[in-house]
Amino acid sequence: MLFNNDFNCLVIATKQEVAKNLVTKVRYMNENLPSWLKQTTVEDNKLSLRYSNGSQIKATSSSGDAGRSEALSLLVFDEAAFIDNIEEIWISAQSTLSTGGNAIILSTPNGVGNFFHKTWVGAEDETNSFNTIRLHWSVHPERDQSWRDEQETLLGAKGAAQECDCDFVSSGDTVIEPQLLQFYKETYCQEPLEKTGFDGNLWKWQYPDYNKSYMIVADVARGDGGDYSACHVMDVELAEQVAEYKGKLDTKDFGNFLVALATEYNNALLVVENANIGWAVIQQVIDRDYKNLFYMSKDLKYVDVEHQLHNKYRAEERGMVAGFSTTSKTRPLIISKLDDYFREKSVTVRSARLVDELFTFIWNGNRAEAMKGYNDDLVMAFSIGLWVRDTALRLRQEGIDLTKQALGGIGQATHGTAVYGGNQPDHNPWSQKINGEDEDLTWLIR
């Protein structure tokens, strides 16, 4: 700003107050320059400093159009990992930076998978032109291990790793522990055998095995917005992901796509999330007369084995609804099931796309959702699949097993043995004493 004409700096932060702090530091530096080095100041306030040579620095909050229509020489993002719509701002600023401007991105880590982390990894891999500078707590000359230990006591292990160690993996507030996600990415994720479909977004890791049972779980989007329609094909017995789709299809095409995919995978159980636009997909599946569509009974909104097995005669429990209903009651259940499966490492995930979504799937207060600007379509579909596998399918299997036992008892019944086990009564159950004599009553059932 001192030695260049029309050097334009813009500081963007989560809030205007945060951005103002950096401008305040520049203003303080300007005030303490020696007189022979100072420029003539024509504007000096809390949000900006401008010289007579046309150079200036301004502070602004992270609105969607921040940086647009600015001829920037230097763009500074402060606490970039905590700016919700930073990718949108970054794209809008590219046209002004492309003429020779530079950018500085500053932040404390806030988990992995977000814009700041991906930009940092890209700089380390030399796939972008940024230079990395890591300020670990140990570079401060007045801090030692006892100070670091005290910070862990005050902030907790995760907070200290974030604030002191510049640790991406241990920072953030992801629903699934980042270390677990890193393990999955390194251990299970692999390139698909085939990327197929009209848009190449159907990834297959296993082809159909006609000795196995499969389940397809789908989360539906309109096909023209920011969200994606997504589905997973899962091996029910092994809890293993064998195929996945994430793309933008309209509801009719997505319904046809799901029927074709489910038919290919042994007429798989088809579970479609039925909120809002999901009904249009379900209607298409019904119109195609697909026979193995998942219907959800009202008592499946909570897990109570006794009620599910024995109280089927109450009117409110006879109602069945096509698809899976994500409600305020079922959402915490499916998120909890996702967490259980990953902590116990009892599910096999092949897709790097799914793991990347999980890295940005965070707790926002008490609600688990994607970071702003990211998607959770694959995550929600996968969570529903795990819950259905552990509840609805388990309960259905228990019902099947009970029926098999009953039918087995009938098949094994012999003289002197009751249908369901035990001894036959000594007397004829179809006779009754009338006036002291046995009377045959089998005419009642003829």
Side-chain angles (χ1 to χ4, degrees):
M1 289 169 62
L2 288 169
F3 303 110
N4 294 277
N5 293 329
D6 301 315
F7 192 88
N8 190 12
C9 305
L10 179 65
V11 181
I12 300 176
T14 51
K15 295 182 293 188
Q16 196 173 69
E17 288 296 315
V18 178
K20 186 173 70 175
N21 290 339
L22 202 148
V23 174
T24 300
K25 292 170 184 171
V26 175
R27 292 173 61 222
Y28 179 78
M29 293 160 63
N30 177 68
E31 290 170 5
N32 287 276
L33 288 173
S35 58
W36 57 270
L37 191 55
K38 281 188 176 182
Q39 278 277 5
T40 303
T41 302
V42 296
E43 183 179 320
D44 186 1
N45 57 56
K46 293 181 179 180
L47 294 176
S48 64
L49 173 66
R50 185 155 58 94
Y51 292 151
S52 59
N53 65 359
S55 296
Q56 65 176 334
I57 182 170
K58 295 191 300 184
T60 186
S61 62
S62 55
S63 60
D65 58 353
R68 193 178 291 276
S69 301
E70 296 270 2
L72 296 179
S73 306
L74 177 63
L75 174 63
V76 181
F77 282 120
D78 197 10
E79 291 297 356
F82 298 88
I83 297 176
D84 288 334
N85 54 340
I86 187 169
E87 289 186 318
E88 180 183 344
I89 300 170
W90 178 248
I91 291 170
S92 70
Q94 287 309 297
S95 58
T96 59
L97 289 173
S98 61
T99 57
N102 292 312
I104 298 173
I105 302 179
L106 315 168
S107 191
T108 305
N110 184 28
V112 300
N114 52 47
F115 172 82
F116 181 63
H117 173 254
K118 288 191 286 190
T119 305
W120 180 277
V121 172
E124 290 185 323
D125 295 342
E126 298 183 353
T127 55
N128 62 42
S129 55
F130 280 99
N131 174 52
T132 60
I133 301 173
R134 185 188 295 265
L135 294 176
H136 192 265
W137 68 269
S138 58
V139 302
H140 196 294
E142 297 175 3
R143 294 174 181 170
D144 55 19
Q145 187 59 46
S146 62
W147 177 88
R148 175 62 178 80
D149 295 340
E150 182 183 357
Q151 294 303 301
E152 184 152 343
T153 303
L154 294 171
L155 305 174
K158 179 176 285 191
Q162 174 174 301
E163 299 296 332
C164 305
D165 299 342
C166 305
D167 188 347
F168 283 102
V169 173
S170 297
S171 64
D173 200 16
T174 55
V175 174
I176 308 300
E177 287 293 328
Q179 292 87 345
L180 262 178
L181 296 177
Q182 200 66 36
F183 166 80
Y184 266 87
K185 193 158 193 174
E186 294 169 357
T187 307
Y188 293 119
C189 289
Q190 55 187 230
E191 281 295 305
L193 297 175
E194 181 182 10
K195 293 183 180 180
T196 184
F198 80 99
D199 54 359
N201 284 323
L202 174 58
W203 295 3
K204 295 180 179 179
W205 291 273
Q206 291 180 22
Y207 296 113
D209 181 338
Y210 296 102
N211 295 314
K212 291 187 175 183
S213 295
Y214 296 100
M215 171 173 56
I216 295 179
V217 191
D219 186 55
V220 184
R222 289 184 310 176
D224 59 354
D227 289 334
Y228 293 83
S229 289
C231 72
H232 300 280
V233 183
M234 299 173 65
D235 182 326
V236 173
E237 183 179 355
L238 300 178
E240 181 176 0
Q241 182 188 36
V242 300
E244 174 191 274
Y245 176 79
K246 181 180 180 181
K248 294 192 174 182
L249 285 172
D250 64 40
T251 52
K252 184 175 181 179
D253 289 340
F254 192 48
N256 291 331
F257 169 82
L258 290 174
V259 170
L261 186 63
T263 303
E264 179 184 356
Y265 278 87
N266 304 351
N267 294 317
L269 175 67
L270 182 53
V271 185
V272 182
E273 208 273 333
N274 60 20
N276 301 321
I277 203 69
W279 286 110
V281 173
I282 289 171
Q283 188 60 55
Q284 183 64 20
V285 173
I286 293 172
D287 290 346
R288 290 284 301 274
D289 198 27
Y290 185 71
K291 301 297 185 185
N292 202 12
L293 178 63
F294 176 76
Y295 281 75
M296 183 173 183
S297 61
K298 291 180 180 179
D299 60 343
L300 276 175
K301 292 183 180 179
Y302 55 87
V303 181
D304 185 340
V305 175
E306 293 302 316
H307 281 76
Q308 288 169 23
L309 289 178
H310 302 304
N311 288 351
K312 288 299 183 185
Y313 296 101
R314 297 193 313 193
E316 64 268 23
E317 292 188 352
R318 291 203 302 268
M320 301 290 284
V321 179
F324 181 88
S325 302
T326 303
T327 67
S328 58
K329 292 181 180 179
T330 58
R331 186 181 175 89
L333 294 175
I334 65 175
I335 300 303
S336 174
K337 188 60 65 179
L338 176 76
D339 185 38
D340 288 345
Y341 265 91
F342 272 86
R343 268 192 292 106
E344 295 167 5
K345 298 179 181 176
S346 54
V347 64
T348 303
V349 175
R350 300 298 184 194
S351 170
R353 288 189 299 197
L354 173 57
V355 174
D356 286 343
E357 276 196 13
L358 284 164
F359 273 124
T360 56
F361 191 63
I362 63 168
W363 289 109
N364 186 3
N366 291 325
R367 181 180 173 87
E369 61 186 13
M371 288 181 184
K372 193 166 183 180
Y374 293 85
N375 302 106
D376 58 11
D377 310 288
L378 289 172
V379 172
M380 293 307 298
F382 200 70
S383 303
I384 292 169
L386 295 177
W387 191 86
V388 169
R389 178 184 184 270
D390 252 25
T391 54
L393 292 183
R394 175 176 61 81
L395 292 165
R396 187 172 75 169
Q397 188 59 47
E398 287 178 2
I400 291 170
D401 292 342
L402 285 172
T403 304
K404 283 181 178 178
Q405 290 176 20
L407 293 174
I410 293 172
Q412 296 169 7
T414 58
H415 179 69
T417 304
V419 171
Y420 294 105
N423 295 323
Q424 289 278 18
D426 295 332
H427 64 282
N428 181 3
W430 298 107
S431 69
Q432 182 176 349
K433 285 193 178 296
I434 306 294
N435 296 325
E437 295 183 4
D438 289 335
E439 182 173 332
D440 187 3
L441 301 177
T442 53
W443 58 273
L444 289 170
I445 58 172
R446 288 175 182 168

